[in-house]
Amino acid sequence: MTRPHVLCLLTLTSLLAVGCGGASAEEETQAQETSGLEVIETPAPAAAPVDVTPTGPLPDGITPLRYALDLEVVPSRDTFSGTVDIRVRLEHPSQRIYLHGTGMTVSEAWIAPGFEGDLANGPLRARPTSALDARFETTDHEGVDRVVTELPVGPGEVTIHLRYEAPFDRQLKGLYRVDVGNDHYAFTQFEPTSARYAFPSFDEPRFKTPFDLTLRVPENERGVANTHEIENVVEGGMRRLRFAPTEPLPTYLVAMAVGPLDIVEGNAIPANDVRSSPLPFRGVCARGRGAELRYAMEHTAAIVASLERWTGVAYPYDKLDIVAVPDFASGAMENAGLITFRETFLLLPPQPGEDHVRAFTSIMAHELAHHWFGDLVTMPWWDDIWLNEAFATYMATRTVADVAPEQNATMSEVASTHGAMGADSLASARRIRQPIESDHDIRNAFDAITYQKGAAVIAMFERFVGPDVFRAGIHRYLEEHRFGTATAEDLLLTISREAGRDVTTPFRTFLDQPGVPLVHADLACGEGGNVVMLSQERFTPLGFTPEPVAVTTEGEAPAPTPRWQIPVCVRFGRGRETGEVCTLLNQESARLDLPAGACPEWIHPNANASGYYRFAMPADDLDALVTRGYAQLGPRERLSLANNVRAMVGAGTSDVDAVMALLPRFAGDPERLVAVEPFGLLQSIVDDLVDDTHRGEARAWVASLYAPRFRRLGWTARARESGDDRLLRRDLVHVLTRIAHEPTTSARAAELGRGYLGRGTGRAPHDGQLHPEAVQAELLAIVTTAAVNDPQDPPCPRGEACVASGPSAAQVALFEHVLSLAFASDDGTVRQRLLASASSVEVPALAERALELTLDPRLRVNELGIPMGLQAETPAGRRRALAWVSGHLPQLRERFATTRLGYVPWTFSGLCTADERAAVSALFTPVITEWPGGPRNLAGTLEAMSMCIARRERQSAPALRYFDAH
């Protein structure tokens, strides 16, 4: 699944239904004996385990073998209904079978010993005479139910049969309903633990079985599922759709969609050296949107072929459908054969912006990669979710680099790694392979540590063993565990065998402990040769507070010192020549010998930025790297250097004024991601480190770094301009309008924004309609934001004072116009762009109205976080949002998707005073345990605020010193 980058788990109603319908008593007995199953008339003392409601994994000894689902799905209703038959194997006699189900009304339940067929032809048509009546009971642990019989059944195979009704979910989980105008749709999102909202099931990833699905839908609507349709019959105003049996799947990968769908038949993806037959391919979306699938339909086949070439394994399923969902919580979901996407990532306009194109390519590559990593081979439990998400993230980079090298995915990989390092620098950071002890832990597992850190560690060890060896190991791993499950140990053992050396031990030092290693590198030359003295410790920013250690009867136990086994590669330069030397730093300190010859003029301690670690150097070595080595570094190394320099400010190992002197070099770098790397530090300087009397000066300094470059680039794209230049133009407009508040750029951006909104002047459009052709596509969001924030006929001189004085009539009118355009559109991309721009307004009176949108029923569920999130981009907005949430917490809890509630505290992580930290803690602590994933997210939020407070205390004086001196 792609997060916001960033979940599905299916719950199946437990049905054990197979029997000998119509048989005599003697025949029933014979069938029971020949099937190996015995119905016991009196309970045996040791027949079953102790009956304790499970709060984690379901009890061992009960294994689902196959599901047959028959569901009536009419999206215009409030509920759906159906039956589920589950063939299971019982290792012991049992009267209670635990499984998962939530919010269901079960009207029929029975268990049939023995079996008639294998459910391959769908659910049982009639109750076997040998079936035993059963009760479907809920337990005191939400989502866990049990099927109870008067007499024990088993051991052997039985079939559980349940008939039930359940409400469509309205918070984007389980089988949920989406309304678009007068049309109604039903979609699914089961990962991680929401299949149980759609059907009773054994809702854990270790249970992989075939699924046989029948859908009964309105005659004039359509339905799609994981596999191809094998039956389509109209009966009494309903259409019965039966689908081919799936390959073995966990519940979280089962999927379906129903409604007045547009289904676009694509060209079959051609056979190749890996796959022997063409692959059927379709696009699916809401009524009337099919034409917008064109870009996706034209560019998906190359991604499938690239993944097949790299893995050496054919795409594993019988067809590929890609589905654009109007309201969807995550970015996308890798359901086998039926990938669902938030429609903004799949429906592209005829002339899409470069950012839109890159988002599609990356997300499509990620979700398709899951068909090998997660679908074909699945982790048995959520502690190994990194085997899915880290590998899909890692593979997406390689796939995009293969099919669209101009998109510069390898640079984005480095930037993403730096983002993960930020999360990993918290004392509350998770491990990649974090033990899963609660539902909170499952929710927390879908984060930057699992995705981006996991991908970075995989890439580091790929370089360590060599790309060919690594790839061969992955191929063997996929083949050995095909359609089954595998753990981290399985993967690492396979790679170690292929490499002929131990990969497991060093790899696990990154899997099983949190934190970012900090590698100290000190160049020394002399009689002993040219050496780099290396040492390691955990990177700790200012404000870092280690978690409390366990206390024993002997007193407080010492906290273990983190130590990694780090593949370290150092680049060095002598004149025009450069070289590279690598080692495995598996001790606290070590000596790395460089080739004989003259002393290197400079070193870079992370060659090609391939290592997951930060680095520190003596001041003279850093100066040599920046002044003499910079021109010889590759783009990834320059980005790594710029980020490490910024991290020095956060750690307090360098004063911010010293780092500010280096920023012109980075801001002028020809590589876009290097040039924009300082943005975060610049925002912190303006918002947190300087006082009100210096803020204008700080903003002018920011403008001086980037305005000359923007003047050279200009507002209009040139012929055959690169995608990176188009994105750089967007980035420069952002820094000049949102951080520097540069008046000339802001005024022109607002003018262009009004033209897009149909409220232009002069020759610009003034018809009240949207005019995307009036502005370069990449600039639409930022110029609309500038327009909303432009006072227009201000009652005071242009500047910050206008914000305090209230909006002009023209500004209010434009704000209302933006909202009316947003609510009139069914296009998710347009809606989110307009809602984000309206929500970014800084005038307090309009900002309050923007925050009220959170409770507006016209917002889709996946839009609810926009008002708070956009207000939180400025210090004043964060304070307003906190005050608003404080006054509306009950309503927020009712309206927000339960799967996203736990992330709400992060909205306020940028607040930077002790009083604000106390207010956030007081607001969320009483409720956070009820919000999925909430406790760890709140801990991280409070820690990030503590770090901001410490950084301000340490770095404010140096920042002011810099401006006073310049």
Side-chain angles (χ1 to χ4, degrees):
M1 174 169 42
T2 301
R3 295 187 312 124
H5 208 71
V6 303
L7 318 182
C8 269
L9 211 177
L10 291 173
T11 291
L12 303 174
T13 307
S14 233
L15 301 176
L16 295 171
V18 186
C20 309
S24 67
E26 293 177 353
E27 289 170 332
E28 290 175 15
T29 303
Q30 181 181 1
Q32 294 161 12
E33 292 172 351
T34 57
S35 69
L37 185 76
E38 181 182 4
V39 177
I40 302 175
E41 296 185 0
T42 56
V50 176
D51 182 31
V52 177
T53 301
T55 58
L58 294 173
D60 292 332
I62 303 175
T63 304
L65 304 175
R66 194 177 193 109
Y67 291 82
L69 282 165
D70 189 331
L71 302 180
E72 182 169 294
V73 180
V74 181
S76 61
R77 298 174 182 168
D78 293 328
T79 64
F80 62 94
S81 60
T83 63
V84 59
D85 293 296
I86 312 174
R87 170 67 52 72
V88 302
R89 179 186 299 116
L90 303 177
E91 294 183 10
H92 308 283
S94 179
Q95 289 176 259
R96 293 173 179 81
I97 297 174
Y98 285 96
L99 68 165
H100 297 106
T102 300
M104 297 171 179
T105 300
V106 174
S107 58
E108 180 179 84
W110 44 259
I111 296 180
F115 57 89
E116 289 180 349
D118 60 1
L119 300 183
N121 294 317
L124 297 181
R125 300 302 180 191
R127 170 177 171 156
T129 58
S130 59
L132 303 177
D133 287 335
R135 299 189 308 277
F136 185 83
E137 299 179 346
T138 60
T139 71
D140 55 4
H141 185 71
E142 184 178 1
V144 177
D145 303 315
R146 60 184 168 234
V147 178
V148 180
T149 56
E150 293 298 326
L151 299 175
V153 294
E157 293 186 10
V158 301
T159 299
I160 304 172
H161 171 88
L162 300 171
R163 181 179 299 276
Y164 67 98
E165 183 177 24
F168 284 111
D169 190 79
R170 301 310 294 263
Q171 295 187 328
L172 312 185
K173 65 183 184 296
L175 178 55
Y176 67 92
R177 177 175 142 176
V178 174
D179 302 328
V180 180
N182 294 322
D183 289 337
H184 309 285
Y185 300 86
F187 298 99
T188 54
Q189 173 57 33
F190 290 160
E191 191 181 27
T193 58
S194 294
R196 63 196 64 182
Y197 290 88
F199 54 97
S201 59
F202 297 84
D203 199 12
E204 295 178 11
R206 60 181 164 138
F207 298 126
K208 296 184 73 171
T209 78
F211 284 81
D212 298 274
L213 175 64
T214 299
L215 290 177
R216 301 172 190 272
V217 307
E219 179 180 357
N220 59 349
E221 297 187 2
R222 308 182 76 174
V224 292
N226 298 92
T227 55
H228 68 276
E229 183 184 291
I230 59 175
E231 189 174 83
N232 187 326
V233 179
V234 175
E235 301 172 328
M238 298 292 287
R239 185 177 300 276
R240 176 164 52 83
L241 304 173
R242 187 163 165 245
F243 299 89
T246 70
E247 299 288 356
L249 295 177
T251 48
Y252 80 86
L253 290 174
V254 176
M256 63 199 79
V258 175
L261 300 165
D262 277 4
I263 300 181
V264 179
E265 295 286 344
N267 295 324
I269 299 174
N272 53 39
D273 292 342
V274 180
R275 179 172 32 81
S276 60
S277 59
L279 175 65
F281 175 46
R282 303 184 301 180
V284 182
C285 61
R287 191 205 307 260
R289 306 291 301 277
E292 297 169 69
L293 285 165
R294 179 177 177 179
Y295 187 92
M297 300 296 288
E298 291 176 350
H299 291 83
T300 297
I303 297 173
V304 174
S306 177
L307 286 160
E308 290 177 320
R309 284 193 302 272
W310 194 96
T311 61
V313 177
Y315 174 87
Y317 302 101
D318 69 353
K319 54 91 174 172
L320 173 61
D321 289 348
I322 54 176
V323 185
V325 182
D327 204 354
F328 195 71
S330 302
M333 180 61 212
E334 65 271 15
N335 312 299
L338 189 78
I339 308 176
T340 45
F341 296 79
R342 186 178 291 205
E343 70 173 19
T344 53
F345 296 122
L346 205 59
L347 303 180
L348 277 67
Q351 300 296 324
E354 182 69 16
D355 44 2
H356 208 168
V357 167
R358 292 192 184 190
F360 160 79
T361 312
S362 176
I363 292 172
M364 181 62 76
H366 181 104
E367 300 308 321
L368 281 169
H370 272 305
H371 281 64
W372 289 262
F373 301 96
D375 296 10
L376 179 65
V377 181
T378 308
M379 75 287 165
W381 187 237
W382 299 105
D383 55 350
D384 271 327
I385 186 61
W386 73 278
L387 291 172
N388 293 19
E389 300 299 350
F391 264 97
T393 304
Y394 158 87
M395 283 304 305
T397 296
R398 276 131 198 85
T399 304
V400 175
D402 179 36
V403 303
E406 72 282 359
Q407 294 188 15
N408 226 350
T410 57
M411 284 296 290
S412 298
E413 178 182 51
V414 179
S416 294
T417 298
H418 293 157
M421 286 180 174
D424 205 18
S425 297
L426 300 174
S428 58
R430 295 174 53 257
R431 316 173 203 174
I432 295 176
R433 199 183 192 212
Q434 182 75 25
I436 302 297
E437 299 173 351
S438 70
D439 290 344
H440 290 306
D441 293 328
I442 296 176
R443 299 292 174 182
N444 293 141
F446 294 84
D447 67 352
I449 302 301
T450 293
Y451 286 68
Q452 283 77 32
K453 178 182 179 179
V457 171
I458 292 168
M460 176 171 65
F461 280 94
E462 176 195 32
R463 196 168 195 256
F464 177 63
V465 302
D468 292 339
V469 169
F470 187 80
R471 186 172 165 184
I474 295 301
H475 175 81
R476 177 187 291 185
Y477 163 80
L478 292 173
E479 291 289 8
E480 289 179 351
H481 301 282
R482 183 179 181 84
F483 294 123
T485 62
T487 65
E489 287 78 9
D490 296 321
L491 170 76
L492 298 178
L493 179 61
T494 303
I495 295 175
S496 295
R497 289 203 313 263
E498 200 68 36
R501 57 173 159 165
D502 178 22
V503 178
T504 300
T505 302
F507 204 113
R508 289 195 64 140
T509 67
F510 287 86
L511 284 182
D512 295 336
Q513 63 181 341
V516 182
L518 175 63
V519 174
H520 295 266
D522 189 353
L523 174 65
C525 300
E527 293 182 1
N530 304 322
V531 301
V532 177
M533 300 305 298
L534 301 172
S535 61
Q536 63 162 295
E537 62 177 321
R538 183 173 182 175
F539 175 77
T540 54
L542 293 165
F544 180 92
T545 304
E547 292 183 322
V549 297
V551 177
T552 67
T553 54
E554 289 77 23
E556 189 174 89
T561 300
R563 181 176 296 169
W564 292 265
Q565 295 193 21
I566 313 168
V568 173
C569 291
V570 175
R571 187 174 302 285
F572 62 91
R574 299 184 178 118
R576 295 182 178 180
E577 296 182 355
T578 67
E580 181 181 312
V581 179
C582 299
T583 188
L584 183 67
L585 179 58
N586 56 11
Q587 300 294 326
E588 186 175 341
S589 60
R591 167 188 172 121
L592 177 61
D593 291 306
L594 302 181
C599 185
E601 297 171 10
W602 55 267
I603 61 169
H604 189 301
N606 192 357
N608 198 43
S610 293
Y612 185 80
Y613 54 87
R614 294 201 184 278
F615 59 82
M617 310 167 68
D620 290 346
D621 288 349
L622 177 61
D623 181 69
L625 177 59
V626 173
T627 57
R628 284 178 279 177
Y630 194 83
Q632 293 175 283
L633 300 178
R636 287 169 58 103
E637 291 165 333
R638 300 198 304 273
L639 180 55
S640 171
L641 172 62
N643 182 263
N644 269 272
V645 166
R646 175 153 66 106
M648 292 162 54
V649 175
T653 56
S654 181
D655 285 347
V656 70
D657 55 344
V659 169
M660 290 166 72
L662 302 177
L663 296 189
R665 177 176 289 276
F666 301 134
D669 195 283
E671 190 69 34
R672 178 181 71 91
L673 288 177
V674 180
V676 305
E677 216 293 325
F679 282 11
L681 178 57
L682 298 177
Q683 187 81 67
S684 177
I685 291 169
V686 170
D687 287 350
D688 302 323
L689 301 188
V690 300
D691 53 26
D692 290 342
T693 60
H694 289 81
R695 190 160 286 113
E697 189 177 353
R699 285 181 168 146
W701 171 72
V702 172
S704 73
L705 292 175
Y706 291 102
R709 186 164 187 174
F710 179 62
R711 284 194 294 270
R712 293 193 298 272
L713 191 60
W715 284 96
T716 305
R718 299 172 176 83
R720 295 184 297 279
E721 186 175 68
S722 72
D724 265 8
D725 278 348
R726 296 177 72 89
L727 293 177
L728 178 61
R729 179 178 292 105
R730 176 205 64 186
D731 298 336
L732 295 178
V733 174
H734 169 83
V735 74
L736 292 172
T737 60
R738 298 295 287 166
I739 300 179
H741 290 196
E742 198 280 317
T744 301
T745 309
S746 298
R748 178 57 177 155
E751 182 181 6
L752 289 171
R754 287 191 290 272
Y756 165 62
L757 296 169
R759 287 290 184 262
T761 56
R763 300 178 63 182
H766 194 77
D767 56 4
Q769 303 300 310
L770 291 175
H771 289 271
E773 76 284 353
V775 186
Q776 180 182 316
E778 296 81 8
L779 299 179
L780 287 171
I782 189 64
V783 300
T784 308
T785 296
V788 170
N789 279 290
D790 184 16
Q792 303 184 62
D793 305 320
C796 55
R798 183 183 297 274
E800 289 194 32
C802 293
V803 171
S805 65
S808 66
Q811 191 174 10
V812 172
L814 190 67
F815 178 84
E816 296 287 359
H817 179 58
V818 170
L819 290 183
S820 68
L821 290 171
F823 291 132
S825 177
D826 287 331
D827 185 317
T829 300
V830 171
R831 289 174 61 93
Q832 292 189 28
R833 178 189 301 136
L834 296 175
L835 290 170
S837 296
S839 298
S840 71
V841 68
E842 296 180 42
V843 178
L846 292 181
E848 288 296 323
R849 292 185 57 188
L851 287 166
E852 292 291 343
L853 292 172
T854 305
L855 303 180
D856 193 311
R858 293 173 293 178
L859 257 65
R860 296 175 177 176
V861 176
N862 69 10
E863 296 167 344
L864 295 178
I866 292 175
M868 286 188 298
L870 271 294
Q871 277 293 301
E873 287 190 348
T874 67
R878 283 190 284 274
R879 290 189 285 271
R880 281 192 295 266
L882 180 63
W884 185 87
V885 172
S886 298
H888 298 83
L889 194 60
Q891 299 96 311
L892 182 73
R893 292 166 65 185
E894 286 293 321
R895 183 82 171 97
F896 232 69
T898 53
T899 55
R900 311 306 299 174
L901 263 178
Y903 298 97
V904 169
W906 282 115
T907 307
F908 307 104
S909 60
L911 291 169
C912 207
T913 70
D915 287 346
E916 290 165 342
R917 185 189 186 282
V920 169
S921 179
L923 175 62
F924 292 112
T925 297
V927 299
I928 203 65
T929 58
E930 302 171 14
W931 296 5
R936 186 180 292 274
N937 290 328
L938 178 57
T941 297
L942 297 175
E943 191 179 354
M945 296 172 72
S946 295
M947 289 180 176
C948 185
I949 295 166
R951 188 166 59 248
R952 170 182 275 174
E953 292 175 351
R954 172 68 174 78
Q955 299 289 6
S956 285
L960 298 177
R961 184 170 64 217
Y962 179 90
F963 291 113
D964 288 340
H966 292 77

